[in-house]
Amino acid sequence: MSVTRPAGLAEAVSLADLCTLGVGGPARYYVRAGSADAAARAAAWASAEGLPLLILGGGSNLVVSDDGFPGLALHLLVRGVDAVEADGSVELTAGAGEPWDPLVERAVAAGWAGVECLSGIPGFVGATPLQNVGAYGQDVSETITRVRALDLRTGAVQDLGREACGFGYRDSRFKREDRGRYVILGVTYRLRPGGEPSIQYADLERRLAAQGVRAPTLADTRRAVIDVRRGKSMVIDPDDPNRRSVGSFFMNPVVSADEAGRIEADLRASGTLAASDRMPAFPAGDGRTKLSAAWLIERAGLRRGYRRGNAAISTNHTLAIVNCGGATAHEVVGLAREIRDRVRDRFGVALAPEPVFVGLTL
Ligand SMILES: Cc1cc2nc3c(=O)[nH]c(=O)nc-3n(C[C@H](O)[C@H](O)[C@H](O)COP(=O)(O)OP(=O)(O)OC[C@H]3O[C@@H](n4cnc5c(N)ncnc54)[C@H](O)[C@@H]3O)c2cc1C
């Protein structure tokens, strides 16, 4: 493969403008790739020039340093959607650059169950396997059957089955051991035509009940999910002052059952938790317990709207850090460190961040 300068290469492109959080300095180089070949050529050029590579989708899960990115930001815009029905299911394949929510809308309109609870999530298809995108008890690892990816180590395009993706809670091999190795080109989801919606969360049940919906359809479920999300500023609305975020900044911590019991007992002993109240805790498999990061943050004394410079905890969602306008990455990370440290000091629990950091660490 010849290593020519990619067509359309731009220099000093603001990453703040390409990320929903709206912070971050410029990328030294930036190029859009609308095909697997264009992506491969751009990646080969970056490698030949000794430049680091940043794959960019919708920019909704990135916290970029104020110094920017010293290499090539490759904006993956491979489009195309294809649906094939076989054996009672539908294999829905989409290019990595397809916006996620319109794909969900299309599946719901066609009556294909499996992604309805993932309505309203920003970003592109290509990033969904990366952190095994999930919400309201559903995640993409339940439906993904194939991830088509360019392996930057070998230059080959491969199809990886679900088992090969190493999915976990907001996690996969693409985020962990193979971070930076693959450019995801497309993803296939297996959906259930005529399937029932999955309603596992009390928030969602309450919203449907309030709307008088007794036997929710996929469309009812999608509407309720978007309504609930809107109330938490978890859909991007240009009129919402909490709109500049990466969604949840921290994952819900998973601890041993003993640890969860110790935390709850400490809270009761200190009078923070009344005898009649329970600490939110959910079974997470293998005898482990998932705690609510938002609940812990609030009990550590940090409230919605708490502000540090131009960064703040969303007034609608304790887990989201927002750029109130004019924030720097430094301010966002400063606030995130304060939250993490307060929870650690109060409960001995380590909160892990959900977004991907570029040129920064927490
Ligand atoms: C308001 C709001 C609500 C959100 N709610 C949720 C939620 O409910 N559940 C949830 O799971 N997430 C949520 N998120 C986080 C985010 O939307 C998802 O993680 C989304 O999948 C990120 O997609 P993206 O295209 O914007 O990725 P980007 O932010 O562009 O990239 C994220 C990471 O993926 C890598 N990447 C992107 N595309 C590719 C590719 N094609 N190949 C290889 N690597 C790639 C990037 O290099 C980066 O490391 C929310 C974010 C916001 C702003």
Side-chain angles (χ1 to χ4, degrees):
M1 185 187 297
S2 66
V3 187
T4 51
R5 200 177 159 92
L9 191 73
E11 292 185 38
V13 171
S14 163
L15 289 171
D17 292 343
L18 296 169
C19 294
T20 55
L21 184 60
V23 303
R28 182 171 169 199
Y29 295 103
Y30 165 87
V31 74
R32 293 159 175 258
S35 68
D37 279 352
R41 281 196 300 273
W45 177 79
S47 165
E49 296 289 317
L51 294 166
L53 188 66
L54 170 65
I55 310 298
L56 198 60
S60 62
N61 213 22
L62 280 171
V63 184
V64 178
S65 145
D66 296 315
D67 296 332
F69 181 67
L72 173 66
L74 173 59
H75 211 170
L76 231 272
L77 299 170
V78 178
R79 303 294 299 261
V81 178
D82 184 39
V84 177
E85 295 206 34
D87 302 331
S89 50
V90 170
E91 298 264 318
L92 182 65
T93 299
E98 284 294 331
W100 171 250
D101 191 50
L103 189 74
V104 174
E105 188 178 23
R106 180 172 172 162
V108 166
W112 302 332
V115 288
E116 61 283 352
C117 291
L118 308 179
S119 294
I121 299 179
F124 294 172
V125 162
T128 59
L130 207 96
Q131 72 152 358
N132 183 16
V133 159
Y136 301 103
Q138 203 169 54
D139 64 44
V140 290
S141 73
E142 295 164 31
T143 48
I144 287 180
T145 52
R146 197 170 63 239
V147 173
R148 175 155 292 183
L150 168 69
D151 184 345
L152 294 172
R153 277 195 204 157
T154 61
V157 172
Q158 305 178 13
D159 282 337
L160 302 161
R162 178 192 297 141
E163 293 309 316
C165 294
F167 287 124
Y169 164 55
R170 296 297 164 276
D171 201 24
S172 72
R173 71 185 285 183
F174 309 112
K175 192 171 175 183
R176 241 177 13 241
E177 66 269 24
D178 284 324
R179 195 174 183 143
R181 175 173 169 184
Y182 292 102
V183 180
I184 295 171
L185 301 169
V187 184
T188 302
Y189 309 86
R190 180 173 294 158
L191 306 177
R192 304 183 308 278
E196 295 286 311
S198 151
I199 296 159
Q200 302 178 31
Y201 265 52
D203 269 6
L204 211 52
E205 277 173 15
R206 274 195 294 271
R207 177 62 55 138
L208 286 160
Q211 291 168 342
V213 180
R214 289 232 178 74
T217 61
L218 296 176
D220 294 329
T221 307
R222 172 173 167 78
R223 208 172 307 114
V225 166
I226 290 177
D227 284 353
V228 173
R229 294 183 68 93
R230 198 177 298 286
K232 297 179 179 175
S233 298
M234 285 292 106
V235 287
I236 294 182
D237 173 348
D239 297 325
D240 184 341
N242 292 300
R243 69 188 173 281
R244 295 186 207 87
S245 81
V246 287
S248 297
F249 205 96
F250 294 102
M251 294 192 275
N252 288 322
V254 177
V255 299
S256 68
D258 286 353
E259 181 72 350
R262 176 195 64 76
I263 295 167
E264 189 159 7
D266 284 357
L267 282 162
R268 283 194 206 290
S270 65
T272 311
L273 193 65
S276 55
D277 288 343
R278 302 285 326 250
M279 175 176 77
F282 312 92
D286 295 338
R288 295 175 70 77
T289 301
K290 190 191 278 182
L291 305 180
S292 159
W295 194 90
L296 293 171
I297 291 168
E298 284 164 10
R299 294 312 176 284
L302 290 163
R303 298 272 161 212
R304 295 179 185 184
Y306 175 75
R307 189 161 169 161
R308 190 172 160 141
N310 288 320
I313 297 179
S314 165
T315 54
N316 286 331
H317 187 28
T318 315
L319 269 191
I321 293 180
V322 301
N323 169 0
C324 305
T328 59
H330 184 72
E331 284 174 316
V332 168
V333 168
L335 176 57
R337 286 186 184 134
E338 183 177 349
I339 295 170
R340 178 201 60 190
D341 293 351
R342 292 271 285 267
V343 169
R344 183 199 55 212
D345 295 349
R346 177 73 180 81
F347 302 108
V349 171
L351 288 185
E354 193 179 295
V356 174
F357 293 83
V358 176
L360 292 163
T361 49
L362 191 60

